[in-house]
């Protein structure tokens, strides 16, 4: 199955929500792991997510009770889905006659900082996994969860089990980290939106990271960042296809580095976009630096910033995008700041109902026409562009959410496959 690797290799496998979504699927996952075990691969660490839909259900429950619940209460509630999956997969492995060691974050020691709901892993204690291997058991570990040095539960942000898996692979010096999901790998666009999207067989960390950060949900951005930092190969494959089927390998320096590389490797869609705008600022106002400092303190990532200073007017306007999930807390923080400073006449507006569509590819470095083609392709389909931003290897446009899927298809057809 892993014929390229010695039987003594340590391997981390992660199974996502759909892969453990029902009793049947959990049994099928256990059967696959059991086959590997019988082939002689013993150093297996399996990371699992909550069953599909479970984390959403828990988030909704918290919001129903108190949308402003403390970070600790939120994390304690939403991390519960992974606990059930760990127990069920361990039970399914037992039914296969294999000893399994179910591990939650506190038990294993997945230490993070204390930024609730978006914590970062600092250190993983692998002692209990290695002891379990020596005693002949497979480790089954809860993804998504962490623990602060004070033993408070944290979570890594939505989709964070991928990051748990890659961090664990690094800590265990694994041969590779396998991400098992419900599609064959990373495609040139979400195959559920773009029917003729193609599977990308090898992808370098840089493009994979951009695609993940810009909304292609199949990999959590921080897992790619960790993979790149530690040179950990990441393999994305479909839980439900036989071994040896097509897959994506994320690794350093692939074909996308070559001169012949496509200009655009992938088109992504991020629906988690909101905009805050501050209007009526005097031109010499220091408020803007205070605003960004405050957002930084809250852990709110600011994305596209548009600074608007008409020649004729005495005031300026600054608009910027953030994650929709941060909108309420950022809006409140801004309103507080403005009030504290006694600044009257400022208008703060919040908008959701937006989405960001991006084209990503290292080929853009040596190709000048991407912005023009993006504008023409979108406007010719009647799609309005609200904001735009470019970097060396990507172009992003903010559009109305209702236009987002069409915009994704239009850019895919324009740059990848018509
Ligand atoms: P899991 O629960 O296994 O972690 P996710 O739902 O987080 O799975 O990620 C897999 C989903 O990501 C796919 O079902 C697909 O709809 C979506 N997706 C978005 N962009 C892409 C892409 N470029 N390639 C593959 N899948 C993508
Ligand atoms: N269960 C968590 C979520 O739904 C983590 C994950 O699936 O990766 O966000
Ligand atoms: Mg996921």
């Amino acid at each position: 199955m892993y014929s390229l690797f010695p039987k003594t290799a340590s391997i981390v496998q992660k199974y996502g929500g759909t892969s453990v979504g029902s009793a049947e699927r959990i049994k099928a996952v256990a059967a696959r792991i059991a086959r590997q075990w019988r082939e002689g691969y013993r150093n297996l660490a399996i990371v699992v997510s909550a069953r599909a839909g479970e984390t959403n259900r828990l988030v909704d429950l918290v919001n129903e009770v108190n949308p402003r619940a403390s970070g600790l209460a939120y994390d304690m509630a939403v991390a519960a889905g992974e606990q059930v999956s760990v127990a069920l997969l361990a039970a399914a492995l037992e039914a296969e006659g294999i000893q399994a060691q179910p591990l939650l974050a506190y038990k294993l020691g997945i230490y993070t900082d204390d930024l609730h709901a978006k914590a970062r892993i600092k250190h993983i204690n692998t002692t209990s996994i290695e002891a379990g291997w020596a005693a002949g058991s497979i480790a089954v570990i809860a993804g998504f969860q962490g623990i602060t040095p004070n033993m408070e539960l944290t979570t890594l942000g939505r989709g964070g089990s991928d990051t748990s898996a890659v961090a664990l692979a690094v800590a265990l010096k694994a041969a590779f980290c396998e991400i098992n999901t419900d599609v064959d790998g990373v495609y040139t666009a979400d195959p559920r939106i773009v029917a003729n999207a193609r599977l990308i067989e090898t992808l370098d960390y840089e493009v994979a990271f951009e695609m993940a950060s810009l909304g292609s949900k199949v990999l959590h951005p921080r897992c790619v960042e960790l993979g790149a930092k530690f040179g950990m190969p990441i393999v994305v494959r479909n839980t439900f296809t036989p071994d040896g089927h097509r897959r994506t390998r994320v690794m350093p320096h692939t074909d996308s580095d070559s001169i012949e590389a496509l200009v655009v490797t992938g088109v992504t869609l991020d629906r988690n976009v909101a905009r805050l705008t501050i209007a009526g600022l005097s031109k010499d106002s220091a408020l803007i630096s205070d605003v960004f400092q405050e957002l930084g303190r809250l852990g709110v990532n600011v994305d596209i910033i548009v600074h608007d200073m008409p020649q004729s007017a005495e005031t300026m306007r600054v608009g910027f995008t953030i994650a929709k999930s941060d909108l309420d807390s950022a809006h409140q923080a801004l309103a507080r700041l403005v009030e504290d400073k006694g600044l009257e006449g400022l208008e703060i507006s919040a908008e959701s109902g937006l989405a960001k569509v991006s084209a990503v590819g290292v080929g853009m470095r040596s190709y000048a026409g991407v912005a023009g083609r993006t504008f023409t392709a979108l406007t010719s389909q009647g799609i309005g562009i609200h904001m735009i931003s470019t970097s060396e290897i990507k172009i992003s446009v903010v559009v109305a959410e209702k236009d987002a899927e069409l915009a994704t298809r239009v850019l895919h057809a324009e740059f990848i496959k018509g």
Side-chain angles (χ1 to χ4, degrees):
M1 185 175 281
Y2 294 133
S3 48
L4 285 176
F5 296 93
K7 300 272 158 70
T8 50
S10 307
I11 295 168
V12 174
Q13 302 178 355
K14 178 251 173 179
Y15 292 90
T18 326
S19 310
V20 294
S22 66
E24 280 320 303
R25 288 182 169 178
I26 291 173
K27 288 190 210 168
V29 166
R32 174 174 189 255
I33 298 167
R35 277 200 304 281
Q36 294 163 341
W37 173 265
R38 289 187 194 109
E39 275 176 32
Y41 291 96
R42 297 290 152 95
N43 296 341
L44 299 175
I46 315 295
V47 174
V48 287
S49 296
R51 288 163 300 143
E54 182 62 7
T55 311
N56 285 346
R57 189 182 72 83
L58 295 169
V59 170
D60 290 348
L61 253 173
V62 178
N63 286 336
E64 245 178 76
V65 173
N66 177 5
R68 303 203 206 305
S70 71
L72 178 57
Y74 172 91
D75 278 344
M76 209 179 268
V78 305
E82 272 67 14
Q83 173 167 341
V84 176
S85 297
V86 163
L88 294 179
L89 183 58
L93 284 166
E94 281 167 22
E96 289 281 347
I98 291 169
Q99 216 176 300
Q101 186 191 19
L103 291 163
L104 302 182
Y106 80 88
K107 181 77 191 299
L108 176 58
I110 302 181
Y111 293 102
T112 69
D113 59 21
D114 59 3
L115 214 50
H116 284 287
K118 45 175 87 163
R120 281 182 172 256
I121 297 177
K122 296 287 182 202
H123 171 71
I124 300 183
N125 182 355
T126 54
T127 322
S128 34
I129 297 180
E130 282 149 353
W133 284 346
S137 66
I138 288 181
V140 184
I141 300 131
F144 188 47
Q145 312 182 341
I147 194 94
T148 67
N150 291 334
M151 299 297 279
E152 279 189 359
L153 208 88
T154 54
T155 61
L156 309 181
R158 298 304 308 272
S161 294
D162 300 333
T163 297
S164 311
V166 176
L168 194 63
V170 170
L172 288 166
K173 301 190 175 56
F176 60 93
C177 180
E178 187 181 83
I179 304 286
N180 294 280
T181 184
D182 57 2
V183 286
D184 287 349
V186 182
Y187 282 73
T188 49
D190 187 339
R192 296 182 206 287
I193 297 173
V194 180
N196 64 354
R198 268 200 315 256
L199 183 77
I200 307 171
E201 297 207 4
T202 54
L203 190 58
D204 56 75
Y205 292 116
E206 188 182 16
V207 174
F209 177 72
E210 284 292 336
M211 286 182 67
S213 312
L214 293 167
S216 92
K217 168 166 162 239
V218 59
L219 287 175
H220 192 242
R222 288 217 312 283
C223 93
V224 187
E225 198 174 33
L226 278 177
K229 186 166 169 193
F230 295 98
M232 175 57 62
I234 301 171
V235 179
V236 186
R237 67 178 291 282
N238 196 326
T239 306
F240 308 109
T241 57
D243 287 296
H245 198 266
R246 306 183 313 153
R247 59 190 60 196
T248 298
R249 291 182 173 79
V250 187
M251 52 176 67
H253 311 303
T254 68
D255 289 349
S256 53
D257 286 339
S258 79
I259 298 166
E260 302 299 335
L262 280 176
V263 174
V264 171
T265 308
V267 175
T268 63
L269 164 55
D270 184 357
R271 297 177 203 269
N272 184 19
V273 176
R275 176 162 60 182
L276 277 171
T277 307
I278 313 172
L281 276 168
S282 69
K283 284 185 178 169
D284 53 0
S285 172
L287 183 75
I288 287 305
S289 58
D290 295 341
V291 165
F292 292 128
Q293 266 170 27
E294 177 64 8
L295 294 176
R297 210 185 50 75
L298 290 172
V300 172
N301 242 331
V302 175
D303 186 20
I304 306 176
I305 305 175
V306 176
H307 185 206
D308 208 359
M309 196 187 289
Q311 294 259 291
S312 52
E314 280 310 302
T315 59
M316 62 179 181
R317 188 172 62 174
V318 174
F320 52 88
T321 58
I322 54 175
K324 209 182 271 175
S325 40
D326 287 329
L327 185 61
D328 284 348
S329 59
H331 195 181
Q332 281 162 25
L334 266 187
R336 257 195 323 267
L337 202 67
V338 166
E339 199 183 305
D340 288 352
K341 305 231 171 244
L343 292 165
E344 272 114 47
L346 280 190
E347 236 179 82
I348 303 174
S349 53
E351 270 169 283
S352 40
L354 299 170
K356 183 170 71 176
V357 179
S358 311
V360 182
V362 287
M364 280 187 200
R365 283 197 177 116
S366 49
Y367 182 87
V370 175
R373 280 172 69 185
T374 300
F375 268 112
T376 311
L378 294 176
T379 49
S380 69
Q381 294 292 320
I383 298 170
I385 297 172
H386 292 238
M387 289 170 114
I388 189 154
S389 104
T390 62
S391 79
E392 252 197 332
I393 64 162
K394 67 128 210 262
I395 181 161
S396 296
V397 290
V398 175
V399 298
E401 199 170 6
K402 68 173 176 43
D403 293 332
E405 293 200 357
L406 176 61
T408 308
R409 286 190 282 270
V410 166
L411 292 190
H412 192 269
E414 173 66 29
F415 290 112
I416 296 174
K417 204 169 174 190

